[in-house]
Amino acid sequence: MTAAVPGPYRTAPGTRYPVGATWTPAAPNFSVFSRDAQAVELLLYAPGAPSSAPPAQVIALDPRRNRSFHFWHVAVAGLPAGTPYNWRVTPAAAGEPPVEVLDPWARAVDDAGWDRAARVADPGGALALRALVTDPDFDWLRDPPPLGDLASAVIYELHVGGYTKHPSAGVAHPGTFLGLIEKIPYLKDLGITHVQLLPVAAFDPQDVPPPVAERGLVNYWGYSPHSFAAPHPGYCVARGLPAQADEFRQLVRALHAAGIGVILDVVLNH
């Protein structure tokens, strides 16, 4: 569900766990870790607002009420799922300006207005990347994941964005998680037991050296993720919407239902 953010929303202190944005119908809880922040604000945006639009509501966190150890937290009564949000952090160092940042535990990310060059030129400006509050409810159909002995596994490594991109793939949604679901019968015919997915966490396609960008090329492989808990928006049909989080879940559920295990390629050092 996605709804406008009329605001202002009432708040409560919230809790430090779990981290990130945890949605409930009554009061979603937000929590972020910052050891050295002098001040923290939660920025709520109207769904669909352009990247240049100011926040619909700014919630300043009181360190006496909204801080536990190094965690800053707040609960926002009645906030709908689908709401875009970011944090704005004021560093403890004297003279350092506040900086708007993406939630490191974001479960879905809207990157529609992202301009890496503009952000580098003005790091203190508005952040076009926005996290999305997602509904955690999902029907996994209670199917246990295939286990088996990896010593006898037949593992098929593939790139989600490239595997179904060409028209010869014959899928309705090329280059996406949903497009890969359409190829599961083909994967079964190959006799594989597991797919190993190259990075699927949200990454910045514009994260390339200047000479590469000048040639019109992008970061294709995704080995520089910025949001490990969010699926890459470029692999989602519902791009920019909280429903994109479900598309990766649908892929995993469909693979498991077909008896195919899922291995994720996760690289943390670059």
Side-chain angles (χ1 to χ4, degrees):
M1 177 181 67
T2 302
V5 179
Y9 288 90
R10 294 181 296 104
T11 67
T15 60
R16 69 182 188 273
Y17 291 125
V19 290
T22 305
W23 187 80
T24 65
N29 186 77
F30 296 82
S31 176
V32 68
F33 177 93
S34 181
R35 185 189 305 272
D36 299 318
Q38 176 182 335
V40 174
E41 298 168 298
L42 178 65
L43 311 181
L44 303 178
Y45 290 93
S51 58
S52 58
Q57 183 174 349
V58 177
I59 301 173
L61 275 59
D62 183 343
R64 297 167 299 180
R65 180 172 181 259
N66 302 105
R67 182 177 181 180
S68 300
F69 304 103
H70 298 305
F71 292 88
W72 298 75
H73 46 77
V74 63
V76 186
L79 188 73
T83 301
Y85 74 96
N86 276 336
W87 295 101
R88 186 159 59 200
V89 178
T90 301
E96 290 289 330
V99 179
E100 183 174 346
V101 297
L102 190 66
D103 187 346
W105 292 279
R107 292 168 176 83
V109 176
D110 182 2
D111 64 353
W114 174 240
D115 185 334
R116 184 180 181 88
R119 177 67 173 184
V120 171
D122 183 18
L127 179 64
L129 292 174
R130 290 176 185 167
L132 300 170
V133 179
T134 61
D135 186 342
D137 187 41
F138 184 76
D139 184 3
W140 287 102
L141 300 179
R142 298 185 178 180
D143 287 336
L147 297 176
D149 181 8
L150 286 179
S152 59
V154 180
I155 301 174
Y156 190 103
E157 184 181 52
L158 61 87
H159 183 280
V160 173
Y163 193 68
T164 61
K165 187 175 183 179
H166 194 271
S168 63
V171 300
H173 304 293
T176 66
F177 297 119
L178 299 188
L180 184 53
I181 290 176
E182 298 180 66
K183 302 302 291 186
I184 289 178
Y186 170 71
L187 296 173
K188 288 286 291 182
D189 287 343
L190 292 178
I192 68 167
T193 62
H194 296 74
V195 292
Q196 178 170 327
L197 304 180
L198 291 174
V200 296
F203 64 90
D204 180 7
Q206 301 171 31
D207 183 10
V208 293
V212 177
E214 290 169 4
R215 298 179 61 188
L217 302 177
V218 298
N219 174 5
Y220 178 77
W221 298 104
Y223 283 106
S224 54
H226 55 70
S227 299
F228 287 100
H232 181 52
Y235 298 160
C236 300
V237 175
R239 186 168 186 167
L241 299 174
Q244 68 189 39
D246 281 343
E247 294 185 15
F248 177 69
R249 294 168 179 158
Q250 290 170 25
L251 171 62
V252 174
R253 182 178 64 186
L255 287 166
H256 285 177
I260 298 175
V262 180
I263 301 171
L264 298 182
D265 187 345
V266 179
V267 179
L268 304 177
N269 64 340
H270 65 285

